[in-house]
């Protein structure tokens, strides 16, 4: 065919990697459909031979098939080639990003990070090389060709089905391919606004002697039976295909299938497609996403990190890492915090000196570009503190370091992203894989949690590319670790997950993520989904705006369904008892004299209840002002109001009282003496007198008198000069309990609590409130 009436007639098509298996098939197919081709490659002799083969096979006019020499991993080479294309053709209508290398064919623990290791392995690339030869090729071509692509143009990026399946021993190939997928999705948005469409093709295992030999090598290294790998992938294909008139059977796709798909995406027939991801794999079941979203806040109640050590591989955002470390330490674990730079380590150490909740924290420089030093630090820490059982890995650069459009990235940013973030993630994983494989007596199976940055506020473009690569890194690591255990090469399999934080921009983001990371590293559960997303709005999704509720978590539900009446409930011991009972699920009636103080106390409690996710908080906490313990009618009204609101009273907390007349006994007026006893003692009897029958009828209850140290003990009085009225009233509260408890029980528990002097101290009030709270807990 001359191509004058083909589907690509008049289109200028640039194909990278045109001398390869897929590239040459696409070149022939496109030439037959009338395209003017620009075939690119790194080797002049090879790409020229490919050009001549296309001309010979298709009969295309020689002037329609030209070549351009470029190395897609080298942006300077790409720019030189694009300048030449602009001079010779003026534009590009279709860009096919097909070029890419195979990467070093090694398991994660043997993957070469340096040229020395590459030579020792007999590989042709390091991990860094593979990042450039696979991911950077597409990125660089998109940046370099951007000015030559106008509305109606099409970009086709060639990925692989193995970028979201297991693929033993091919970490350095599939990790950058997975990152390429996310890069391609973002490019579809950036180019799409200009009328240029970007789509991605995922070839399955392609029928060839090469793929058969690859599968056979995988069988051998894994210790599988011959054909096991091929059977695994073909067994997951839903299509039985009929070829050459034969009966339908399991087969592999061919290069022609890929070329035909790309032809459709290159032609105007696909004008409405943008951001499409097309699997050409006979329906192979390979889910592109492995994700879940957290719907509950993290509970640390059952986590025990005692005796365990966690490595936190931090980046330059060491403050976030320190927050994660505090959470691990709160669970009882030791933490080795590794920072990217010495300056970061120094700043973190300075901060720690003024913190009182970081016992068990060790800080070291831990640079991902120095794998030998990382291994040395782990070894030294293990000999001193015990083995590291888990790791939490965070990005090196803070969230706004890499930001903006991918097409606007400069060469330095691209290189830094590839080396520091992409290659650095693989380097940490390799270090940990080697370390854990050498440990014979780990107290629990090793866990590794990668954690993304928070949102950069600009679309999180780079975070999405990095996260996609890490997802595949974790998938491969899980699979290789499983194989090692089954083959007896390792005692315990590594399990990994990734917490995606950039969906959420709330202040609680880091604490929420840190809490869930703790659950992964300390619980021996395996969450199958790799990517675990922090919800966009923590409060709406989980019902709680606070990431972790601390102490309140331990008491939540302890008093659920109970009703409490608390006198003097606006502040001090009474206010704290009201708060704790409300946090524990009780409905609370707080009564006192001053409305303003009651309203403020109620608002504080309601806000805290909302933060931790209680429902119906407004109806759970009520107040009643103008209640004076010396005014018995107001006390009766408070009890009646409680019954009217909730139909019962389970806990009566007699907390309110007065300080006394502050006179010596011989000087004290009898009315002052009587007032103190009415307020502190008779009021307790009055409320108990009216509440006890109700409690009996409902099957039980609890009464607590808040007495004082100055009320003495059963066989010991405590002198209190110029406060005898107060001391006697408090002694009466205690004596009342001793006298009444045997008659009211067992249905009604009756107790007194005696806070020590000075009772007004904040710490003392808190302790007293805690004792009162737990005294009220159901037996």
């Amino acid at each position: 065919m001359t191509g004058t009436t083909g589907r690509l007639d008049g289109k200028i098509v640039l194909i990278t990697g045109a001398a390869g298996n897929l590239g040459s098939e696409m070149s022939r197919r496109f030439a037959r459909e009338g395209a003017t081709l620009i075939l690119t490659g790194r080797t002049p002799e090879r790409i020229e031979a490919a050009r001549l083969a296309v001309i010979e096979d298709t009969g295309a006019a020689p002037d329609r098939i030209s070549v351009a020499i470029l190395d897609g991993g080298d942006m300077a080479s790409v720019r030189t080639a694009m300048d030449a294309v602009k001079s010779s053709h003026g534009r590009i209508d279709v860009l096919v990003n097909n070029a890419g290398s195979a990467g070093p064919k090694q398991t994660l623990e043997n993957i070469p990070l340096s040229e020395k290791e590459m030579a020792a392995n007999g590989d042709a690339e390091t991990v860094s090389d593979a990042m450039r030869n696979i991911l950077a090729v597409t990125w660089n071509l998109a940046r370099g060709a951007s000015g030559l692509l106008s509305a109606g143009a099409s970009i086709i990026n060639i990925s692989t089905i193995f970028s979201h399946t297991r693929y033993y021993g091919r970490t350095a190939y599939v990790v950058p391919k997975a990152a390429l997928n996310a890069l391609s999705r973002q490019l579809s948005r950036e180019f799409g606004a200009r009328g240029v469409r970007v789509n991605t093709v995922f070839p399955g295992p392609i029928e060839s002697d090469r793929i058969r030999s690859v599968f056979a090598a995988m069988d051998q290294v894994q210790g599988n039976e011959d054909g096991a790998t091929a059977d695994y992938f073909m067994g997951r294909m839903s299509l039985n295909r009929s070829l050459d008139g034969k009966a339908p059977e399991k087969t592999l796709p061919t290069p022609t299938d890929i070329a035909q798909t790309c032809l459709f995406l290159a032609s105007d027939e696909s004008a409405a497609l943008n951001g499409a991801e097309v699997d050409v794999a006979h329906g192979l079941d390979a889910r592109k996403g492995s994700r879940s979203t957290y719907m509950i806040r993290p509970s640390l109640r059952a986590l025990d990190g005692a005796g365990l050590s966690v490595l936190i591989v931090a980046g330059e955002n060491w403050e976030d890492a320190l927050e994660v470390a505090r959470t691990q330490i709160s669970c009882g674990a030791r933490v080795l915090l590794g920072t990217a730079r010495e300056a970061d380590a120094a700043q973190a150490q300075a901060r720690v000196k003024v913190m009182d909740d970081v016992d068990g924290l060790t800080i070291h420089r831990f640079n991902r570009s120095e794998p030998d030093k990382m291994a040395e630090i782990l070894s030294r820490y293990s000999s001193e503190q015990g083995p590291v059982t888990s790791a939490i890995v965070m990005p090196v650069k803070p969230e706004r370091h890499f930001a903006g459009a991918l097409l606007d990235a400069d060469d330095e940013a691209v290189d830094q992203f590839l080396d520091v973030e992409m290659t650095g993630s693989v380097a940490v994983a390799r270090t940990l894989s080697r370390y854990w494989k050498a440990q014979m007596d780990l107290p629990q199976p090793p866990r590794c949690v990668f954690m993304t940055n928070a949102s950069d506020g600009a679309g999180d473009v780079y975070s999405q590319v990095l996260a996609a690569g890490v997802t595949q890194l974790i998938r491969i690591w899980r699979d290789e670790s499983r194989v090692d255990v089954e083959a007896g090469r390792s005692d315990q399999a590594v399990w990994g997950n990734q917490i995606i934080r950039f969906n959420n921009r709330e202040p609680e983001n880091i604490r929420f993520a840190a809490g869930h990371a703790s659950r992964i590293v300390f619980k021996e559960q395996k969450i199958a989904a790799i990517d675990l997303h922090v919800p966009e709005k923590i409060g709406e999704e989980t019902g709680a705006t606070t990431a972790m509720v601390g102490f309140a978590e331990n008491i939540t539900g302890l008093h659920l369904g109970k009703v409490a009446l608390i006198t003097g409930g606006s502040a001090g011991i009474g206010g704290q008892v009201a708060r704790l009972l409300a946090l524990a699920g009780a409905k609370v009636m707080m009564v006192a004299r001053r409305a303003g103080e009651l309203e403020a106390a109620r608002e504080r409690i309601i806000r805290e209840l909302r933060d931790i996710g209680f429902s119906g908080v407004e109806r759970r906490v009520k107040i009643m002002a103008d209640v004076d313990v010396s005014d018995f009618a107001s006390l009766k009204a408070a009890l009646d109001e409680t019954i009217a609101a909730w139909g019962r009273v389970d806990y009566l907390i007699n907390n309110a009282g007065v300080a006394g007349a502050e006179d010596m006994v011989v000087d004290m007026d009898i009315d002052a003496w009587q007032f103190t006893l009415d307020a502190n003692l008779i009021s307790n009897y009055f409320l108990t007198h009216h509440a006890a029958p109700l409690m009996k009828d409902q099957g039980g209850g609890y009464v607590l008198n808040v007495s004082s140290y100055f009320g003495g003990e059963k066989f010991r009085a405590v002198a209190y000069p110029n406060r005898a009225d107060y001391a006697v009233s408090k002694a009466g509260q205690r004596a009342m309990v001793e006298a009444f408890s045997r008659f009211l029980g067992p249905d009604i528990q009756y107790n007194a609590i005696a806070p020590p002097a000075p009772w007004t101290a904040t710490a003392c009030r808190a302790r007293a409130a805690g004792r009162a709270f737990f005294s009220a807990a159901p037996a």
Side-chain angles (χ1 to χ4, degrees), residues 685-766:
Y685 170 77
F686 180 86
L687 281 174
T688 303
H689 170 76
H690 287 283
L694 301 174
M695 292 179 176
K696 282 281 188 180
D697 290 343
Q698 69 193 22
Y702 180 88
V703 181
L704 175 69
N705 292 347
V706 179
S707 180
S708 168
Y709 162 82
F710 295 109
E713 298 177 13
K714 188 170 185 177
F715 298 109
R716 185 181 72 172
V718 175
Y720 197 7
N722 83 333
R723 286 284 186 86
D725 56 339
Y726 176 81
V728 168
S729 68
K730 292 298 176 178
Q733 287 180 300
R734 172 187 53 76
M736 186 188 303
V737 167
E738 293 170 357
F740 288 8
S741 59
R742 69 184 65 184
F743 300 109
L744 293 175
D747 296 339
I748 301 175
Q749 294 176 273
Y750 201 3
N751 291 290
I753 186 172
W759 72 271
T760 54
T762 300
C764 176
R765 289 200 302 270

Side-chain angles (χ1 to χ4, degrees), residues 393-638:
V393 184
M394 307 176 76
V396 177
K397 297 296 182 181
E399 52 263 27
R400 291 180 178 83
H401 182 84
F402 298 112
L406 293 173
L407 291 175
D408 295 337
D410 58 36
D411 297 352
E412 182 180 359
V414 172
D415 287 340
Q416 191 177 56
F417 181 77
L418 295 175
D419 290 334
V420 173
E421 301 293 5
M422 295 296 302
T423 303
S425 297
V426 176
V428 169
R430 191 193 79 163
T431 299
L432 291 169
S433 178
R434 290 180 171 185
Y435 171 79
W436 281 325
K437 197 168 183 179
Q439 304 301 311
M440 296 293 104
D441 298 310
L442 287 175
Q444 73 166 33
R447 297 282 188 268
C448 185
V449 179
F450 286 83
M451 187 182 293
T452 73
N453 279 325
S455 176
D456 62 15
D460 308 300
V461 174
Y462 290 83
S463 288
Q464 292 186 56
V465 174
L466 175 60
V470 169
T471 300
Q472 187 62 1
L473 172 62
I474 294 171
R475 181 180 283 112
I476 298 300
W477 194 359
R478 283 185 184 181
D479 182 58
E480 290 184 356
S481 184
R482 173 191 60 82
V483 171
D484 283 344
V485 170
E486 291 174 356
R489 295 189 291 265
S490 181
D491 288 342
Q492 300 185 86
V494 178
W495 193 261
N497 291 97
Q498 179 173 214
I499 295 179
I500 307 294
R501 296 175 54 210
F502 52 73
N503 300 322
N504 179 282
R505 301 180 66 184
E506 297 174 312
E508 289 294 309
N509 182 310
I510 185 61
R511 295 186 69 240
F512 188 91
H516 278 295
S518 299
R519 292 185 61 80
I520 294 172
V521 301
F522 295 133
K523 290 181 72 68
E524 294 189 16
Q525 66 181 112
K526 294 181 178 180
I527 303 175
I530 295 174
D531 293 339
L532 307 173
H533 289 245
V534 175
E536 184 177 353
K537 295 183 178 180
I538 293 174
E540 291 185 6
E541 297 287 347
T542 70
T545 57
T546 299
M548 292 178 290
V549 298
F551 170 76
E553 179 181 53
N554 298 321
I555 62 174
T556 300
L558 189 61
H559 296 280
L560 191 65
K562 301 298 184 180
V563 174
L565 169 61
I566 304 168
T567 64
S570 62
I573 294 173
Q576 282 298 311
V577 171
R579 168 180 170 264
L580 293 174
L581 284 171
L583 291 174
K587 297 179 179 69
V588 176
M589 174 67 78
M590 304 159 58
V591 302
R593 289 179 296 171
R594 300 179 183 87
E597 293 180 3
L598 279 169
E599 289 167 358
R602 179 176 183 268
E603 181 57 34
R604 286 193 299 270
I605 294 173
I606 285 176
R607 186 166 56 247
E608 191 169 4
L609 291 175
R610 283 201 186 102
D611 285 346
I612 65 174
F614 270 100
S615 60
V617 293
E618 296 284 349
R619 62 179 183 269
R620 301 181 68 86
V621 183
K622 295 183 179 296
I623 58 174
M624 184 174 176
D626 300 320
V627 175
D628 189 328
V629 285
S630 65
D631 179 356
F632 298 158
S634 70
L635 293 177
K636 183 62 166 62

Side-chain angles (χ1 to χ4, degrees), residues 242-260:
S242 175
L243 296 174
D244 301 326
K246 298 179 182 177
E249 61 180 346
K250 293 289 185 185
T251 63
L252 296 177
T254 66
T256 300
D257 297 323
I258 312 304
Q260 290 283 70

